[in-house]
Amino acid sequence: MPTPLPGPMTLGPYRLPNRLFVAPMAGVTDRPFRVLCKKLGAGYAVSEMVTSRKDLWNSLKTSRRANHEGESAPISVQIAGTDAQMMAEAAAYNIDRGAQIIDINMGCPAKKVCNKWAGSALMQDEPLALEIIEAVVAACAPRGVPVTLKMRTGWCQAEKNAVRLARAAQEAGVSMVTVHGRTREQGYSGQAEYDTIAAVKAALNIPVVANGDISTPQKALEVLAATGADALMIGRAAQGRPWIFAEIAHFLETGELLPAPRIADAKRWLIEHLHDHYTLYGELTGMRSARKHIGWAVRALPGGEDFRRHMNTLDSCDDQVRTLSDWLDALAQDHDRLPYLAPAANDDPDEELSSGVSPHNNDNSAHEERRLTA
């Protein structure tokens, strides 16, 4: 029988109900998605990346990313940048707007981020990386706000410096480290490796979170066994399948796979999420940006690809909700539970801009996203 993850864990003053976390994903892990994942079994969620550039703080995109209304504690916000003082100021800015944990982005491999030496590019410059970590910790510690770090195994295969940088981060006061099992050079190609994560875990006294390619309950058990990690972080596999957290928790506890959700339950969860999404983004942007969430939810179901293409022709929120509801009702006439044709996605680009293209390139926020060079 699988060995379950230990019970609730603490992060600073906060007690996390479990050790299955939602990864930060730009254009995905907004407040409505985080709320949905927490409702369906995730114990913790990190926001999509917020820039450290002051000139973008008053933008509509940043204001949406800093929206935490109705979200359960703790509120974790990821920040990205290349200047230590700016990162410290960004931490304070987000704390003033409700952040209770600050996460430093040293894991994003997207060219638009790395070309500015932010994200995983910082792993190439350890003195600067440590300067940023120390500045952010100094800004957060007096306010009782824990700082966490998300990183990769290294910049390239020849220079895997995750253990060295993680040790320095721990000494600087970081409370938790998450490691994605790929180098920056890999991007999201190939497969994640877990030996480096295991080495980081062995070197640290603070919690270490394993991330990368965790797409099924069985894979979650494999990664736990390979790394000894304190927690698991799941990204793309939760897109359209936010109940994966409950599925993983059940399997780790019992050794049994949960059946797929009842269609009636999935319909209720998805439509509640759509209404929350529309409330945050408004009618036009909400309708356009919801298309990806609907597409992810139906892609592995019978007729899902044809339905997704049809959904992309609709131009109102009401039409989206009504059409999705009718389609799921029709599916329920032949099936009680979601009849998946394939398992959850086996790739896990866990944070920002996995393709190097903004997930919002189908709405009016795309121009602003392209300007974010933090």
Side-chain angles (χ1 to χ4, degrees):
M1 177 176 292
T3 301
L5 276 169
M9 67 179 286
T10 58
L11 183 53
Y14 302 104
R15 183 177 184 271
L16 309 182
N18 66 50
R19 300 171 184 241
L20 299 173
F21 301 165
V22 186
M25 297 178 279
V28 181
T29 47
D30 52 19
R31 187 209 65 215
F33 188 78
R34 297 193 302 271
V35 168
L36 178 67
C37 290
K38 288 179 178 180
K39 176 181 179 178
L40 297 180
Y44 176 70
V46 183
S47 79
E48 52 187 332
M49 178 183 66
V50 176
T51 179
S52 61
R53 281 180 47 184
K54 287 184 179 180
D55 61 314
L56 293 178
W57 285 354
N58 291 324
S59 68
L60 181 58
K61 180 175 293 295
T62 297
S63 69
R64 286 172 176 155
R65 290 182 171 185
N67 186 312
H68 314 294
E69 296 171 9
E71 185 176 359
S72 61
I75 307 300
S76 177
V77 174
Q78 186 181 81
I79 60 174
T82 60
D83 179 89
Q85 183 58 36
M86 288 174 63
M87 287 285 279
E89 291 172 356
Y93 170 85
N94 282 282
I95 293 169
D96 289 341
R97 281 149 186 80
Q100 297 165 315
I101 296 169
I102 295 294
D103 184 65
I104 300 174
N105 179 339
M106 292 190 189
C108 178
K111 290 181 179 179
K112 64 187 285 184
V113 175
C114 288
N115 285 348
K116 301 295 182 179
W117 288 90
S120 55
L122 286 169
M123 297 189 73
Q124 256 191 314
D125 190 341
E126 290 183 32
L128 176 58
L130 185 55
E131 182 185 357
I132 287 172
I133 292 168
E134 290 173 342
V136 172
V137 170
C140 294
R143 305 177 71 170
V145 173
V147 175
T148 60
L149 173 66
K150 189 162 193 300
M151 63 195 300
R152 290 196 158 225
T153 57
W155 177 257
C156 62
Q157 183 67 26
E159 184 56 35
K160 291 186 177 182
N161 58 340
V163 172
R164 187 166 61 244
L165 186 54
R167 280 197 182 116
Q170 176 178 265
E171 292 173 5
V174 163
S175 297
M176 184 174 75
V177 172
T178 298
V179 184
H180 179 100
R182 287 181 173 88
T183 64
R184 161 61 184 90
E185 186 179 55
Q186 282 181 272
Y188 296 102
S189 64
Q191 297 187 355
E193 56 91 0
Y194 304 111
D195 289 347
T196 303
I197 302 176
V200 172
K201 169 59 183 170
L204 301 189
N205 298 318
I206 58 176
V208 173
V209 184
N211 175 228
D213 293 355
I214 302 171
S215 56
T216 64
Q218 299 94 322
K219 185 68 172 184
L221 177 63
E222 175 189 328
V223 173
L224 278 177
T227 63
D230 300 283
L232 299 176
M233 182 171 276
I234 294 107
R236 178 159 293 191
Q239 294 176 359
R241 204 165 182 160
W243 38 82
I244 192 171
F245 300 97
E247 292 173 340
I248 290 173
H250 182 82
F251 181 75
L252 294 179
E253 185 69 36
T254 68
E256 299 175 353
L257 293 172
L258 276 177
R262 296 185 186 280
I263 292 177
D265 292 331
K267 172 185 168 181
R268 184 177 72 255
W269 297 330
L270 294 172
I271 289 178
E272 286 177 357
H273 175 230
L274 287 179
H275 285 305
D276 197 13
H277 187 88
Y278 301 148
T279 298
L280 178 63
Y281 291 99
E283 174 79 18
L284 179 60
T285 298
M287 177 272 297
R288 289 174 172 172
S289 58
R291 289 171 177 166
K292 59 180 178 286
H293 291 282
I294 297 169
W296 292 328
V298 305
R299 61 185 174 185
L301 298 173
E305 276 301 308
D306 289 339
F307 177 76
R308 182 187 62 80
R309 285 190 287 271
H310 172 63
M311 178 63 65
N312 288 344
T313 69
L314 304 180
D315 59 5
S316 79
C317 298
D318 287 344
D319 283 348
Q320 282 186 338
V321 170
R322 182 174 57 256
T323 304
L324 177 63
S325 179
D326 290 347
W327 189 79
L328 290 172
D329 286 344
L331 195 65
Q333 292 180 7
D334 298 317
H335 307 276
D336 179 46
R337 297 180 181 275
L338 292 173
Y340 285 120
L341 301 175
N346 62 2
D347 54 345
D348 187 23
D350 54 76
E351 53 196 356
E352 294 76 44
L353 311 173
S354 60
S355 66
V357 178
S358 165
H360 289 307
N361 61 5
N362 59 350
D363 67 34
N364 291 336
S365 61
H367 175 69
E368 185 181 330
E369 178 99 25
R370 287 191 292 269
R371 290 176 60 230
L372 191 150
T373 55

